[in-house]
Amino acid sequence: MNWDDVWDAMFGGLPYYGEILALVSNSVWAGAVLGLVGGLIGVFVMQRDMAFAVHGISELSFAGAAAALLIGADVVGGSIVGSLIAAGIIGWLGARARDRNSIIGVLMPFGLGLGILFLSLYSGRSANRFSLLTGQIVSVQSDQLGWLIVIGAVVLLGILLIWRPLRFDSLDPQAAAARGVPTTAVSLAFMLLLGLIVAVAVHIIGALLVMALLVTPAAAAMRVTAGPLAVPVLSAVFGLVSAVGGILLAIMGTLPVSPYITTISFAIYVVCRVIGARQGRVTREHVHA
């Protein structure tokens, strides 16, 4: 591949950018919803040290989607079933971090193996197989967008309803249990909400890249602020910028959208890490002054 091919792959669609953007408007809205909700729920993922769980749920979600593809059922529905099964198992059995990581370590290869088996048996278009791993956000249909908005609203409403006990349990689970917070129920509810948004994310950006929107924005936000309101707001903004920005850049050429989303998300994290390091250094200098 020469540089002309690289240029065409990245920017060949610029002369038709307006027309392409009109065709993928559903994708932009889908990315916005996923980025906002994923960034918000990602704060609790980080506070509860469950980044590994996101990956585990995505693997079983991938298996569910692959099974649905094989039997000709709705792929999003299969993805949701797989996610909810994984989330329920982790939430119910993995109260302690050690138990949770062990369960996830068992579920991940099992889900990935099942998914590969189902895709190997599938005789349809190879693009359908590939999209389960890397997503298909540029081809979001109106009905899929509707489901995404509904699921995003359910997850957002659920998070708001359990916000206070969830935050208490995330920051100090022992004190929360001593105060009478139903920690098992809160954990299970959170895991089911996480399973729903992971299922949508798998369908949109693929099982391999789901952490770019459900972990990285929150990790970046927590590097530059610790405010109880500032962290979720900033995380949601970072998720929105990563998802929508990735789509807007990807449609300039013919490359997949996922690398753009992950690159923007990673760049935001690096910048926030540098800013956070400088803030820490300035604080230490003031303390010693």
Side-chain angles (χ1 to χ4, degrees), residues 53-64:
V54 172
H55 198 37
I57 294 172
S58 71
E59 299 292 3
L60 220 59
S61 179
F62 161 66

Side-chain angles (χ1 to χ4, degrees), residues 181-278:
V181 174
T183 54
T184 300
V186 169
S187 175
L188 183 58
F190 172 72
M191 290 304 301
L192 293 177
L193 293 173
L194 179 61
L196 284 174
I197 200 64
V198 166
V200 175
V202 166
H203 182 66
I204 297 299
I205 63 172
L208 298 179
L209 305 171
V210 67
M211 296 179 73
L213 291 183
L214 272 73
V215 173
T216 310
M222 294 172 73
R223 283 285 173 179
V224 294
T225 184
L229 181 61
V231 171
V233 169
L234 202 57
S235 178
V237 171
F238 288 162
L240 173 68
V241 171
S242 299
V244 175
I247 298 169
L248 296 179
L249 288 175
I251 62 176
M252 291 192 297
T254 58
L255 297 176
V257 66
S258 299
Y260 288 97
I261 294 176
T262 54
T263 300
I264 294 174
S265 184
F266 178 73
I268 291 174
Y269 175 78
V270 170
V271 171
C272 288
R273 190 176 180 92
V274 171
I275 294 173
R278 294 189 62 181

